[in-house]
Amino acid sequence: MGGGQSVVTRVRVYLEDINDNRPSFYPVLYTVSLSTHSAPGTSVTKVTANDPDAGDNGRVTYRTVPGGGSAFFTLNKDTGVISLARSLHGKANTLVSMVISAQDGGGLTAPVNARVNVSVVGSSVAPPLFDQAQYYFTVSEEVLRGTEVGKVHAATKTGHSQDISYSISSGDPDGYFTMDSTSGALRSSLPLDHEACPSLDLEVQARYGSPPAYGTTRVRVTISDVNDNAPSFLPSSSESLLLPEVTKMGTVVYRVQAADRDSGPNSQLSFDLVSIGAGGRMFGVDRGSGELRLIGGLNYESVPRYDLQVVAKDGGVPQLSSTFTLVVHVQAQDA
């Protein structure tokens, strides 16, 4: 029985970027309130468009569309920050709208422009205040759609909480959650997956009055893991190996590699060798590393082949496992 020779090398391939993505705004609508006593230079809001391309192709600049600007505000073309340019004296109870476009370095523009609505309120009007500047909610990834995750609450400075409406203003581009505009209850609206999205940082607004005054809070939603992924082997769940019969006992002949997409204890793996015939007496596996060692002497004439199975188990409850198969061919000494 003969064996060939081989050599391994590494090849690194660099992919050159082309401008095949348009910038995209999220959110598309920005709402903010501003007091008539606000000083020129005050930062009002920041519009954001993302472009996944690299280099100049991914660099985004902003501008107001023709007829979509305002003499009261300036737009930083590089950062997207909108600032107050002049006094708002005498502009109370008005709504100023701006329309912003985004363009990348390759000349592609966002398919949908952003709209900014600035509600100018009198100096005596205070925005609604949330009970907390930051809320923390935790929800399991296995909950049903529509499950209430938590609730936010805001009130005016006089303690009035009626006629306040709530909305998610940013932080959830995929729409995993919805907010009840009346009660402030946050609910799941899509299937959740801890492995794809372990947490979200939402910006939530409370709106009151006409023109509206806006209050803002942050909501951190942590999506907790359940043990819903079995271990998987890399690069495959089976392999064959040619092992000379002169191999010394104690030699590491193979290392089983596995991964688990869950997190915490659910992703911690241990390995066990399932005894199949003589293989259980000739090989042993390290439970932590997956290293397979020769613990007996090989003899091609006695046993030319061993079929081994290594089971990888995670630390979850209930525990999940997968099985790796290794076929060891013994190479005769005089082959």
Side-chain angles (χ1 to χ4, degrees):
M1 183 176 182
Q5 295 182 340
S6 64
V7 64
V8 176
T9 189
R10 294 183 179 274
V11 177
R12 176 170 291 181
V13 178
Y14 293 94
L15 299 180
E16 182 177 346
D17 181 56
I18 61 172
N19 194 29
D20 55 349
N21 292 282
R22 293 179 177 272
S24 178
F25 279 106
Y26 178 79
V28 174
L29 176 63
Y30 298 78
T31 53
V32 63
S33 54
L34 204 59
S35 168
T36 53
H37 279 191
S38 299
T42 299
S43 178
V44 178
T45 191
K46 178 182 179 180
V47 296
T48 302
N50 291 314
D51 190 314
D53 289 314
D56 289 342
N57 292 335
R59 190 176 68 248
V60 178
T61 56
Y62 305 90
R63 67 179 180 87
T64 55
V65 303
S70 169
F72 289 93
F73 301 98
T74 60
L75 170 67
N76 187 304
K77 69 179 183 64
D78 296 313
T79 65
V81 172
I82 296 174
S83 303
L84 183 62
R86 54 192 290 190
S87 172
L88 292 171
H89 181 72
K91 298 294 291 183
N93 301 322
T94 61
L95 184 68
V96 180
S97 293
M98 302 175 65
V99 181
I100 313 296
S101 67
Q103 179 174 295
D104 65 24
L108 296 180
T109 58
V112 178
N113 294 326
R115 176 174 290 273
V116 179
N117 291 336
V118 181
S119 179
V120 183
V121 297
S123 58
S124 62
V125 178
L129 293 176
F130 282 92
D131 295 343
Q132 299 173 215
Q134 175 86 55
Y135 292 82
Y136 297 91
F137 301 140
T138 299
V139 60
S140 170
E141 65 176 337
E142 63 181 353
V143 298
L144 299 175
R145 297 186 194 185
T147 298
E148 182 175 317
V149 176
K151 186 178 289 187
V152 299
H153 180 266
T156 66
K157 64 180 181 180
T158 59
H160 184 75
S161 59
Q162 299 296 319
D163 302 321
I164 291 179
S165 62
Y166 303 91
S167 63
I168 299 171
S169 54
S170 68
D172 187 15
D174 296 316
Y176 285 110
F177 297 97
T178 59
M179 176 154 284
D180 187 293
S181 62
T182 303
S183 68
L186 184 69
R187 294 186 173 90
S188 62
S189 59
L190 292 175
L192 303 178
D193 186 356
H194 168 85
E195 289 73 38
C197 181
S199 66
L200 284 172
D201 288 299
L202 310 179
E203 183 180 271
V204 172
Q205 283 188 329
R207 167 180 171 156
Y208 178 77
S210 180
Y214 294 96
T216 302
T217 189
R218 306 290 301 184
V219 178
R220 157 67 63 104
V221 182
T222 299
I223 301 170
S224 60
D225 184 47
V226 297
N227 194 30
D228 56 350
N229 292 280
S232 59
F233 295 100
L234 307 172
S236 66
S237 60
S238 62
E239 187 62 85
S240 61
L241 176 68
L242 183 63
L243 196 62
E245 65 175 340
V246 296
T247 302
K248 295 181 179 180
M249 286 188 292
T251 299
V252 176
V253 298
Y254 193 84
R255 184 172 183 269
V256 180
Q257 298 185 67
D260 192 306
R261 294 182 63 238
D262 293 309
S263 62
N266 295 337
S267 68
Q268 295 173 2
L269 302 182
S270 62
F271 301 90
D272 291 295
L273 179 64
V274 178
S275 177
I276 298 182
R281 300 188 300 271
M282 300 297 293
F283 298 90
V285 67
D286 185 285
R287 295 204 64 192
S289 67
E291 289 183 341
L292 197 66
R293 292 180 183 270
L294 181 65
I295 60 175
L298 298 175
N299 187 297
Y300 172 79
E301 286 74 20
S302 298
V303 184
R305 167 177 167 159
Y306 295 91
D307 293 283
L308 309 177
Q309 289 187 342
V310 176
V311 177
K313 301 176 182 178
D314 64 25
V317 178
Q319 191 175 61
L320 300 179
S321 65
S322 299
T323 301
F324 175 82
T325 301
L326 179 67
V327 178
V328 179
H329 299 278
V330 179
Q331 183 180 26
Q333 185 174 0
D334 56 354

